[in-house]
Amino acid sequence: MSAAEEIGSVASLWRYPASSLGGERLDAAPLRTDGVEGDRLFGIVDAATGVIAKPDSDRKWHPVPRIAARLDGGALEIKVPGGNWLPAPSDAADKAASSFLGFDAAIRRFEEGTTLEAPRYKKAPIHLLTTASLAELKAQHPGGDPDPRRFRPNIVVDMPRVPGHFPETDWLGRRIAIGEVELEITDPCRRCGFTIIGQDGFEFDADILRTLVRKNRHNLGVYCEVTRPGTVRPADAMRFLD
């Protein structure tokens, strides 16, 4: 395969203004060296303890991804199922989230050097996932629904299935270009219990994670560093640089 050959194109772009809440599909994604602009600026915490949501390990947080989040002119808004968009952080947003979850919760901004920060997102700020891997997961677990929202990617790349393979897992250390942006693929994305949680349109499914444990060493998708910032758009071509 030549360095200039197109290997896929962008199918969808996502950011997650509030960690664990629903993601926001984008028409264009400005990528900086620290990730998608506006990604994971806020978190939701247990108001009684200040502990951040852990839906991967604590069932009380399983409904959280059903709370929608978006940025409107740079300001966060959230919406619980059946509710209206509310500015956050705010008393109204906290009240709506608490009522939906069944316990006191609060939206808070991540702050450097405090107990509420998100260092786990700094190591590799972009998560890339291919439709080829989603198709392989479906082939390995035909009864499941590998909706990309289970995996919270920033960039979903459309490419043909490679039977028996999760292709991007084999690209570690490689450099790619997507439109005007350049990325280095640094790590596999090790999946956690978040992937099994039901959201609007698909149900709880523990076999999603069990399949990835058996078939791809717990992994799906890859983490990337941004080596040349810029804006990515749907249908932008992806190619290898090395």
Side-chain angles (χ1 to χ4, degrees):
M1 181 178 290
S2 69
E5 184 177 350
E6 179 180 333
I7 55 175
S9 61
V10 174
S12 59
L13 299 163
W14 299 83
R15 72 178 168 198
Y16 309 89
S19 179
S20 297
L21 274 64
E24 176 182 23
R25 191 162 178 166
L26 301 175
D27 294 328
L31 268 60
R32 310 180 307 196
T33 55
D34 60 350
V36 177
E37 185 176 318
D39 200 36
R40 294 180 171 95
L41 301 177
F42 299 84
I44 184 168
V45 302
D46 184 319
T49 65
V51 174
I52 194 168
K54 296 180 179 178
D56 58 323
S57 59
D58 189 340
R59 291 183 67 89
K60 80 174 186 179
W61 291 109
H62 278 195
V64 166
R66 298 181 189 269
I67 302 176
R70 69 183 184 187
L71 293 181
D72 183 12
L76 179 67
E77 295 181 334
I78 71 161
K79 182 172 71 170
V80 302
N84 299 315
W85 287 104
L86 298 169
S90 70
D91 290 343
D94 290 353
K95 183 177 180 180
S98 299
S99 178
F100 174 67
L101 294 172
F103 60 90
D104 288 341
I107 306 293
R108 296 290 181 265
R109 190 178 186 96
F110 289 129
E111 298 290 347
E112 293 276 352
T114 73
T115 57
L116 189 63
E117 60 179 345
R120 62 188 181 281
Y121 302 124
K122 295 178 183 177
K123 178 181 177 183
I126 298 298
H127 173 28
L128 182 146
L129 179 61
T130 68
T131 61
S133 284
L134 293 172
E136 180 61 20
L137 177 56
K138 178 66 175 178
Q140 296 290 347
H141 177 31
D145 185 352
D147 190 295
R149 289 176 295 161
R150 288 189 185 275
F151 310 105
R152 299 175 74 80
N154 297 116
I155 303 172
V156 179
V157 172
D158 184 40
M159 60 178 289
R161 180 185 166 218
V162 183
H165 293 277
F166 297 87
E168 64 269 33
T169 308
D170 297 328
W171 301 343
L172 299 182
R174 301 201 69 172
R175 295 171 57 245
I176 58 174
I178 304 177
E180 65 186 29
V181 170
E182 295 180 5
L183 306 169
E184 180 177 354
I185 299 170
T186 60
D187 295 280
C189 186
R190 184 176 176 86
R191 308 319 313 200
C192 67
F194 193 102
T195 61
I196 72 177
I197 298 171
Q199 297 182 43
D200 292 338
F202 57 88
E203 300 304 318
F204 180 95
D205 184 359
D207 285 330
I208 288 281
L209 185 56
R210 291 177 185 139
T211 301
L212 293 174
V213 171
R214 292 195 308 268
K215 299 298 184 179
N216 199 36
R217 299 181 180 180
H218 239 117
N219 302 316
L220 188 74
V222 288
Y223 289 121
C224 306
E225 297 282 356
V226 180
T227 56
R228 181 181 178 183
T231 298
V232 177
R233 296 176 175 82
D236 278 354
M238 182 177 76
R239 66 187 191 280
F240 289 124
L241 292 173
D242 49 12

